[in-house]
Amino acid sequence: MENSEIVAAFDRVAKLRGWEQLHTAKNLGVALSVEVAELNRHFQWCEDADIHSLMRSENAREVAAELADIQMYLCKLAEVLGVNMDLALRNKIAENERRAREVVDGGAP
């Protein structure tokens, strides 16, 4: 799904529930952190092997649902803040690659 489709679906639910006025940057940021915490609840106290087993079980759907919640809140937050996520991602990836090259090259610019 495109970010615009995700936001449109998010907005439809918000309108049905009367939540539009609650979707401020602060509230969306807090909600996003709560969704990340809900994802981490599945991973807490687990070793990597436990997580791999989890993802092969029925409970993998719960993890996938939390990831979907995270993406929905992130897309809506970016829209509210006026951030073009495609551009922000491209810029961040380029910056990460530049920094990685600097480390490999011994700090050369």
Side-chain angles (χ1 to χ4, degrees):
M1 283 181 96
E2 296 290 323
N3 290 348
S4 60
E5 293 175 272
I6 294 167
V7 170
F10 190 93
D11 288 345
R12 282 192 303 274
V13 171
K15 184 173 183 166
L16 287 170
R17 295 191 170 177
W19 292 347
E20 303 101 327
Q21 74 281 1
L22 299 173
H23 289 164
T24 63
K26 179 197 71 80
N27 288 347
L28 291 164
V30 170
L32 178 61
S33 70
V34 169
E35 295 301 336
V36 171
E38 289 177 2
L39 172 67
N40 284 329
R41 181 189 70 216
H42 294 282
F43 301 156
Q44 188 175 19
W45 316 119
C46 292
E47 300 293 330
D48 286 343
D50 299 325
I51 294 169
H52 290 294
S53 294
L54 167 68
M55 296 311 296
R56 291 188 301 272
S57 75
E58 288 181 6
N59 295 330
R61 288 183 303 210
E62 294 175 20
V63 172
E66 296 303 344
L67 288 168
D69 283 339
I70 290 165
Q71 186 167 356
M72 286 187 288
Y73 277 102
L74 179 61
C75 288
K76 182 61 182 178
L77 178 59
E79 184 214 33
V80 166
L81 294 174
V83 172
N84 177 324
M85 284 302 292
D86 289 334
L87 179 60
L89 284 164
R90 289 178 198 286
N91 289 341
K92 185 61 179 175
I93 289 167
E95 178 184 340
N96 289 346
E97 289 172 347
R98 180 187 56 77
R99 287 181 177 178
R101 281 191 301 274
E102 287 177 4
V103 169
V104 170
D105 294 341

mmCIF file of all heavy atoms in Angstrom, residues 26 51 53 61 103:
data_model
loop_
_atom_site.group_PDB
_atom_site.id
_atom_site.type_symbol
_atom_site.label_atom_id
_atom_site.label_comp_id
_atom_site.label_asym_id
_atom_site.label_seq_id
_atom_site.Cartn_x
_atom_site.Cartn_y
_atom_site.Cartn_z
ATOM 1 N N LYS A 26 1.459 15.609 18.604
ATOM 2 C CA LYS A 26 1.824 15.061 19.913
ATOM 3 C C LYS A 26 1.099 13.746 20.178
ATOM 4 O O LYS A 26 1.712 12.746 20.546
ATOM 5 C CB LYS A 26 1.515 16.045 21.035
ATOM 6 C CG LYS A 26 1.873 15.481 22.432
ATOM 7 C CD LYS A 26 1.211 16.235 23.574
ATOM 8 C CE LYS A 26 -0.257 16.021 23.683
ATOM 9 N NZ LYS A 26 -0.713 14.810 24.329
ATOM 10 N N ILE A 51 12.061 -15.612 19.084
ATOM 11 C CA ILE A 51 11.325 -14.719 18.202
ATOM 12 C C ILE A 51 11.094 -15.390 16.849
ATOM 13 O O ILE A 51 10.001 -15.301 16.280
ATOM 14 C CB ILE A 51 12.051 -13.368 18.055
ATOM 15 C CG1 ILE A 51 12.038 -12.650 19.412
ATOM 16 C CG2 ILE A 51 11.405 -12.509 16.967
ATOM 17 C CD1 ILE A 51 12.943 -11.439 19.491
ATOM 18 N N SER A 53 10.798 -18.551 16.375
ATOM 19 C CA SER A 53 9.728 -19.526 16.620
ATOM 20 C C SER A 53 8.366 -18.836 16.691
ATOM 21 O O SER A 53 7.375 -19.343 16.156
ATOM 22 C CB SER A 53 9.979 -20.280 17.931
ATOM 23 O OG SER A 53 11.127 -21.080 17.823
ATOM 24 N N ARG A 61 0.612 -13.442 13.645
ATOM 25 C CA ARG A 61 -0.399 -12.468 13.193
ATOM 26 C C ARG A 61 -0.467 -11.275 14.129
ATOM 27 O O ARG A 61 -0.705 -10.151 13.695
ATOM 28 C CB ARG A 61 -1.766 -13.133 13.097
ATOM 29 C CG ARG A 61 -1.887 -14.100 11.934
ATOM 30 C CD ARG A 61 -3.269 -14.645 11.877
ATOM 31 N NE ARG A 61 -3.554 -15.286 13.171
ATOM 32 C CZ ARG A 61 -4.360 -16.304 13.353
ATOM 33 N NH1 ARG A 61 -5.015 -16.800 12.340
ATOM 34 N NH2 ARG A 61 -4.556 -16.827 14.539
ATOM 35 N N VAL A 103 33.382 5.636 7.654
ATOM 36 C CA VAL A 103 33.941 4.687 8.618
ATOM 37 C C VAL A 103 34.862 3.724 7.907
ATOM 38 O O VAL A 103 35.978 3.454 8.364
ATOM 39 C CB VAL A 103 32.807 3.930 9.370
ATOM 40 C CG1 VAL A 103 33.368 2.771 10.157
ATOM 41 C CG2 VAL A 103 32.031 4.876 10.261
#
